[in-house]
Amino acid sequence: VSMVKDTIWLRQLLHELGAGQKEATRQHTDNRGVHLQSSKQVNHATAKHFRIGQAFIRSHHDNGVILVDKVTTKENAADIFTKGSIPAEAFFRCRLEIMGPQDNPAVGRRP
């Protein structure tokens, strides 16, 4: 839910700055249940405790504010934020996807 709230806030800020976004903001998840619940009515006993949040997310999905894409765990760049520690290779892959190419600060530096 917090990711959707943050997305709504950022979209509103962009709109006020004159750079509004017309298409849905893509959100990635590697959790099959989250993906299904964001786009379809999925109600079962284990989902009772978060039905309000589920309805909030689904309504913004249905209104075209967000689009929840299912990605594999290996492709989930959010691991950089959610895992306590990840291997260096995974860290650099996630950083590249989120921030784009980065210059090496050690290159060109004079001693």
Side-chain angles (χ1 to χ4, degrees):
V1 173
S2 63
M3 178 178 64
V4 177
K5 288 179 181 180
D6 289 345
T7 300
I8 292 166
W9 186 87
L10 287 169
R11 287 174 62 102
Q12 181 62 37
L13 177 63
L14 287 171
H15 175 75
E16 290 176 12
L17 294 173
Q21 183 179 351
K22 293 186 184 357
E23 67 278 352
T25 301
R26 297 177 99 69
Q27 310 285 340
H28 294 165
T29 183
D30 58 1
N31 185 305
R32 182 177 180 270
V34 169
H35 179 253
L36 289 174
Q37 291 170 358
S38 70
S39 58
K40 298 181 174 88
Q41 185 79 26
V42 178
N43 287 321
H44 48 77
T46 60
K48 280 186 201 175
H49 66 286
F50 57 85
R51 285 205 179 125
I52 293 172
Q54 178 185 2
F56 177 79
I57 294 168
R58 190 178 318 112
S59 71
H60 286 86
H61 177 274
D62 293 346
N63 292 336
V65 175
I66 63 165
L67 177 62
V68 181
D69 289 330
K70 173 77 172 77
V71 296
T72 66
T73 298
K74 189 172 184 171
E75 296 172 330
N76 190 0
D79 280 354
I80 199 171
F81 302 116
T82 60
K83 303 275 191 295
S85 67
I86 60 174
E89 180 182 324
F91 172 83
F92 290 118
R93 179 185 46 77
C94 292
R95 185 184 73 173
L96 177 65
E97 186 171 336
I98 293 168
M99 299 175 63
Q102 303 292 305
D103 290 333
N104 184 344
V107 174
R109 188 184 317 166
R110 296 181 190 248

